Amino acid sequence: MSTLSEKIWERHVVRRAAGEPDLLYVDLHLVHEVTSPQAFEGLRAAKRPVRRPDLVLATMDHNVPTNDQRPEEISARQIDAMARNAREFGIRCYPTGDPEQGIVHVISPQIGLTQPGMTIVCGDSHTSTHGALGALAWGIGTSEIEHVLATQTIWQTRPGTMAITVNGELPAECAAKDVILGIIARIGTAGGNGTVIEYRGSTIRALSIEGRMTVCNMSIEAGARAGIVAPDDTTFAWLEGRPYAPKDELWERAVDEWRALATDADAAFDREVTIDATTLRPYVTWGTNPSQSVTIDQRVPDPESYREDGQRDSASRALRYQDLRAGTPVRDIAVDAVFIGSCTNARLEDLRAAGEVLRGRHIKRGLRALVVPGSMRVKKDAEREGLDRVFREAGFEWRDAGCSMCLGMNPDILRPGERCASTSNRNFEGRQGPGGRTHLVSPAVAAATAVAGHFALPSDLS
Amino acid sequence: MDPVRRVAGRALPLARANVDTDQIIPSHWLKRLERTGYAAGLFEAWRRDPSFVLNDPRYRGASVLLAGPNFGCGSSREHAVWALRDAGFRAVIAPSFADIFRSNALANGFVPVELDARLVEDLIEAVRMDPSTEIVVDVDRRTVAAGTIAGSFALDDYARTRLLEGLDDIALTLRHDAAIAAYEAKRPEWLPRVR
């Protein structure tokens, strides 16, 4: 009588004692250049080795330029530190220029390192992405990174459990992104605090692994520690044959074990939410947190329509920051830039969805448009399909892999006052660069918006 | 990590909900390789507004931050805690915290005080009326007091002990090395090892 996440948790308890959190074993530790240098420095100062370098994978993604320019000096120092730390501590690292380099949450599933039933941590809040394959995966801080490097374990208080069940067929032009934006609009940015969200129901089952990754990725935007989907035939078919997936007899044994992870029929969740997928529409965020969204058919809301003081203040602040007027139809909002990328929406399926809209079309004159594949492998696969030509001919820049314009810490930033339709995960003030204004959307809506110059659906285009 | 038994000092009434870690410390500060030196980055964008409360000289030297619910949401960056600490803060009082921010705070001997929303509002009101109001956070007793306002806050026993004793987690965990090795010996053989 346990839920999926509880079963994984129980299988990883190294030590349990009254009055203490559990000490959990970590099956995979993903590392990137930005949140790890102080952790390696701590190990050096205490003369501690990395306990299991064979369970650690590093890459460079946050800070790296995604075109042929060189990183400025301070970023270069951090990139060099990652390479040096990996060498010194015996950790495999995919540096820039490597055919396996990419956004940490894109590369690990792609090579089959992310598998059902595993515990995975990374110094990045979007580690929840890996839950799409039935792994229990969550983001940690730098002190915890140091702890995991030294011990391969982590102290954790047991989270609560939350079931979000989405049933029904997704309406036309709705994507996985709209499922998660719809969920966050409903439960709020703190709706999942202290819990692991298990996504269930026919809509989730019908999503591809890539779509499930988009959903699990933004669990943190609902405040959850992690998001997870029970491994099923879709998961096994996706994983089989990838470089790190078990083979032959081990594969058979693993699949049996993975099937048994599903939440028991009589298990109870601390909280349950049910959503009817047939009521969803493509979403566009208007505000400065990911719950401040409406569907593309709606208007920018009036802050006075919020009954709660905090929400009303926050909506007024957001409209001021975003330079929007209450009552404006979403389709009337013009954008200056479009960004297709990030650990939320930069996998092959996302690029195909955007490419489909852009084929034979051109972006609005004067608009800046970037497409940044999630990994060098995604880039290569997309080029094999000719997607690079579709994007280039439409007026997009076709980049190398990295976090790019998701977070404003590499050369790709918005200028103050610029407005961007973005497939990323956060619309916080200044997230894409100081003074920049972000609207979160799906890849197809981002592409249609690039063509129209204002928010649009593919079906709005002539 | 230095032990922390008590935080006593004046407070800054930030009073905003969903303060995300991108606001606490913008991402370009994350290019640094150090654990200190983040004070100038704290609320960097909001500070450009002269009327922002952190620019109000009456609150200079505050060691307690008063904020709305879901403080520290968003990115996992521990730099958010480092920036608050470098700017002289030792505790944040809010009705609720994002999970990762809370863990990061505890790992740095920085006190996340989760207090009933009405009491947080009373404290904000008191500090706005009189910026010299002293707030006392007692970690040992899990209480907050300021003049006639008093309340207790939630903090689990383990977190409390860690703060009071300033424990080094890694040294503590390495005492369980035998248990870790025993666990490792029975992990399923299909689990991947990075090549």
Side-chain angles (χ1 to χ4, degrees), chain A residues 129-380:
Chain A
T129 311
H130 305 266
L133 284 127
L136 185 57
W138 67 98
I140 60 176
T142 299
S143 296
E144 289 174 318
I145 294 173
E146 185 179 337
H147 186 278
V148 177
L149 288 170
T151 70
Q152 203 57 34
T153 62
I154 187 164
W155 294 98
Q156 286 285 293
T157 50
R158 187 187 266 277
T161 56
M162 180 167 179
I164 296 184
T165 304
V166 191
N167 281 320
E169 196 175 332
L170 269 181
E173 304 193 274
C174 274
K177 183 65 161 283
D178 302 305
V179 173
I180 188 64
L181 285 174
I183 289 171
I184 297 166
R186 167 94 171 266
I187 70 172
T189 52
N193 276 16
T195 73
V196 174
I197 297 175
E198 182 180 332
Y199 300 98
R200 304 156 62 85
S202 64
T203 315
I204 304 295
R205 296 259 78 87
L207 287 177
S208 66
I209 292 298
E210 302 198 347
R212 293 178 191 181
M213 285 198 243
T214 301
V215 172
C216 287
N217 173 273
M218 290 187 71
S219 302
I220 183 73
E221 270 62 66
R225 220 184 284 180
I228 196 166
V229 176
D232 58 10
D233 289 336
T234 304
T235 319
F236 309 140
W238 193 86
L239 191 56
E240 192 170 11
R242 290 186 187 258
Y244 279 101
K247 305 208 167 25
D248 309 322
E249 191 256 347
L250 275 182
W251 170 260
E252 302 299 327
R253 275 170 51 199
V255 169
D256 286 346
E257 187 81 10
W258 295 339
R259 275 191 206 285
L261 290 172
T263 294
D264 297 324
D266 50 359
F269 290 88
D270 297 326
R271 200 178 152 206
E272 302 202 36
V273 172
T274 304
I275 288 177
D276 176 1
T278 64
T279 65
L280 295 173
R281 284 283 291 155
Y283 281 83
V284 178
T285 63
W286 52 267
T288 53
N289 79 50
S291 72
Q292 292 175 322
S293 65
V294 289
T295 74
I296 194 160
D297 318 299
Q298 293 176 305
R299 292 164 185 268
V300 174
D302 184 347
E304 293 307 317
S305 66
Y306 292 94
R307 242 171 296 161
E308 206 246 312
D309 290 355
Q311 284 195 331
R312 193 164 51 236
D313 294 351
S314 155
S316 312
R317 273 190 57 80
L319 289 194
R320 262 201 312 279
Y321 181 84
Q322 296 279 60
D323 191 29
L324 288 174
R325 202 163 293 153
T328 307
V330 169
R331 281 185 173 87
D332 289 358
I333 303 171
V335 302
D336 308 297
V338 170
F339 170 60
I340 297 176
S342 88
C343 57
T344 312
N345 277 132
R347 287 167 288 267
L348 189 57
E349 182 177 291
D350 303 312
L351 303 193
R352 282 178 183 155
E356 191 61 36
V357 177
L358 293 169
R359 203 177 293 275
R361 292 194 166 108
H362 201 277
I363 61 170
K364 173 96 174 173
R365 189 183 298 273
L367 192 129
R368 179 153 70 117
L370 296 186
V371 55
V372 187
S375 70
M376 290 311 282
R377 225 186 242 234
V378 166
K379 181 175 187 182
K380 212 168 131 198

Side-chain angles (χ1 to χ4, degrees), chain A residues 421-459:
Chain A
S422 177
T423 67
S424 56
N425 41 58
R426 290 194 174 128
N427 52 344
F428 297 151
E429 292 179 27
R431 171 73 179 184
Q432 297 187 291
R437 300 173 178 134
T438 303
H439 298 266
L440 304 176
V441 292
S442 72
V445 171
T449 300
V451 173
H454 54 80
F455 289 101
L457 290 178
S459 59

Side-chain angles (χ1 to χ4, degrees), chain A residues 380-436:
Chain A
K380 212 168 131 198
D381 290 348
E383 286 176 348
R384 199 171 295 135
E385 295 182 11
L387 283 169
D388 56 324
R389 278 199 313 279
V390 173
F391 283 111
R392 280 206 176 102
E393 284 167 15
F396 270 77
E397 288 181 50
W398 177 248
R399 295 292 192 84
D400 287 338
C403 299
S404 183
M405 206 187 262
C406 173
L407 84 168
M409 77 171 299
N410 53 60
D412 300 328
I413 56 170
L414 293 179
R415 288 180 282 268
E418 267 191 324
R419 189 181 300 287
C420 181
S422 177
T423 67
S424 56
N425 41 58
R426 290 194 174 128
N427 52 344
F428 297 151
E429 292 179 27
R431 171 73 179 184
Q432 297 187 291

Side-chain angles (χ1 to χ4, degrees), chain A residues 11 25 27 38 51 54 72 78 92 141-143 146-147 155 189 194 244 407-409 429 431, chain B residues 16 18 22-23 27 30-31 34-35 46 70 74-75 78 99 104 173 177 183-184 187 193-195:
Chain A
R11 282 161 167 75
Y25 199 80
D27 290 324
Q38 296 86 353
R51 182 184 178 92
D54 59 333
E72 34 70 42
Q78 195 167 55
R92 162 66 90 179
T142 299
S143 296
E146 185 179 337
H147 186 278
W155 294 98
T189 52
Y244 279 101
L407 84 168
M409 77 171 299
E429 292 179 27
R431 171 73 179 184
Chain B
R16 287 184 190 176
N18 295 310
D22 277 84
Q23 305 317 312
S27 61
L30 276 55
K31 296 179 181 188
E34 297 80 20
R35 275 180 192 261
W46 289 352
N70 201 26
S75 156
E78 196 160 315
D99 290 346
N104 287 339
T173 307
D177 187 62
Y183 181 90
E184 283 176 327
R187 294 174 73 229
R193 296 172 62 166
V194 178
R195 299 183 285 263

